[in-house]
Amino acid sequence: MNRTLRVATAVARELWLPVLLVAAWWWLSAGSTSIYWPALSEITGRFVDLWFFDHLVEDALPSVIRLVAGFGIGFAAAVALGLLLGSLPALEDATRPLVEFMRALPSVALLPIMMLLLGTDDDMKVITIAFVSTWPILLNTVEGVRSVDPVLRQVAAGYRLSTWHRIRFLVVPAAMPQVFAGARVALSMSVVAMVLTEMVGSPGGLGYFVLDSQRTFDIVAMWTGLIVLGLIGYAANKAFGLVEARVLAWHRGYTKQKEDQR
């Protein structure tokens, strides 16, 4: 019972403000005759018609697949490269200017080059998302590896652990909190990159749906697309939070134990 009450309290604390804002939007937009600011009741009615279930399969699902694929590729590449650079300070110092240069490039500026090299199909979209998501994770991974407690490194050396075991049982767990901090930033950037690539790429996806609705002056449909984008972003963030809580459960317990000892 206590657990159920805690869950209900947590849900209420998280949703009370969105529910209040939606209610205010519904009330303030009631009877609106503006083409640009339609009534929320009209948007919700059109939302059901559009997204249950034709456009959900045709546009939303492909967007989610591209987001997951691009973010997954970027995450794997960034962690692997970050472990390498963090373990070799000389190599990290040599590549730091290049990494900072690539990180500073906005995704919008990359689109013309990506389209020239890869076309406008799914490959371009996935690779652009992967490229954008790589750099925050990479930099945080490097910092996480370099911040491993020197005492722990000495203990590992004293026990003569192999390089693989040091990486697996010491470096990776110690770096994971910062890796996930960078991944959370990268996830929001990936959603932005997903929308941008779909707006300029081949037809299909949420970005194209929103842009096409705006071009054809179907403003109500455009608003429904924006709502779907927001829901996907929220769901992606919650799913990421669940994975983070599972992977870093040991870290939360360790941090709580240290606070209790103070």
Side-chain angles (χ1 to χ4, degrees):
M1 183 63 183
N2 290 335
R3 179 179 175 82
T4 303
L5 182 60
R6 288 198 300 269
V7 172
T9 302
V11 172
R13 289 171 59 184
E14 183 171 349
L15 295 182
W16 73 267
L17 182 58
V19 170
L20 182 62
L21 292 175
V22 170
W25 184 7
W26 187 286
W27 180 70
L28 292 173
S29 65
S32 174
T33 57
S34 172
I35 187 176
Y36 303 111
W37 301 99
L40 182 56
S41 58
E42 184 180 358
I43 295 174
T44 54
R46 191 72 182 281
F47 183 93
V48 174
D49 293 336
L50 289 174
W51 298 102
F52 293 97
F53 290 93
D54 292 340
H55 285 282
L56 185 66
V57 176
E58 296 174 2
D59 294 308
L61 184 59
S63 293
V64 172
I65 293 174
R66 295 181 193 114
L67 176 64
V68 173
F71 181 78
I73 293 171
F75 184 90
V79 171
L81 187 57
L83 290 173
L84 176 64
L85 296 179
S87 302
L88 301 174
L91 181 61
E92 195 274 330
D93 291 339
T95 57
R96 172 67 71 162
L98 177 61
V99 171
E100 293 290 348
F101 174 80
M102 300 301 290
R103 181 181 70 88
L105 289 176
S107 55
V108 177
L110 294 172
L111 288 177
I113 299 176
M114 292 294 187
M115 293 173 65
L116 285 174
L117 296 177
L118 304 171
T120 59
D121 293 331
D122 285 354
D123 290 346
M124 181 273 292
K125 300 171 185 177
V126 172
I127 291 176
T128 302
I129 295 171
F131 182 88
V132 169
S133 64
T134 294
W135 308 110
I137 305 173
L138 173 61
L139 292 173
N140 278 55
T141 302
V142 171
E143 295 302 322
V145 172
R146 297 183 69 173
S147 64
V148 175
D149 192 339
V151 175
L152 294 178
R153 293 186 182 274
Q154 293 173 6
V155 172
Y159 280 100
R160 298 183 180 180
L161 296 181
S162 64
T163 302
W164 164 248
H165 283 92
R166 292 185 189 186
I167 294 175
R168 170 66 179 82
F169 297 106
L170 173 62
V171 176
V172 171
M176 271 298 144
Q178 288 191 253
V179 171
F180 274 93
R184 188 173 289 276
V185 175
L187 181 60
S188 62
M189 296 173 62
S190 297
V191 174
V192 174
M194 177 197 74
V195 175
L196 290 175
T197 55
E198 291 175 347
M199 284 184 171
V200 301
S202 56
L206 285 168
Y208 178 82
F209 176 86
V210 171
L211 183 63
D212 186 62
S213 299
Q214 181 266 332
R215 286 172 173 171
T216 57
F217 293 96
D218 193 351
I219 306 302
V220 176
M222 182 192 74
W223 276 103
T224 66
L226 294 175
I227 291 174
V228 173
L229 278 172
L231 292 175
I232 288 178
Y234 176 79
N237 185 68
K238 296 299 291 185
F240 181 85
L242 293 175
V243 174
E244 182 181 14
R246 182 67 179 270
V247 174
L248 298 182
W250 66 270
H251 182 260
R252 296 178 186 274
Y254 175 73
T255 303
K256 186 176 185 301
Q257 184 180 10
K258 289 183 65 177
E259 291 177 351
D260 293 341
Q261 291 174 351
R262 293 177 180 176

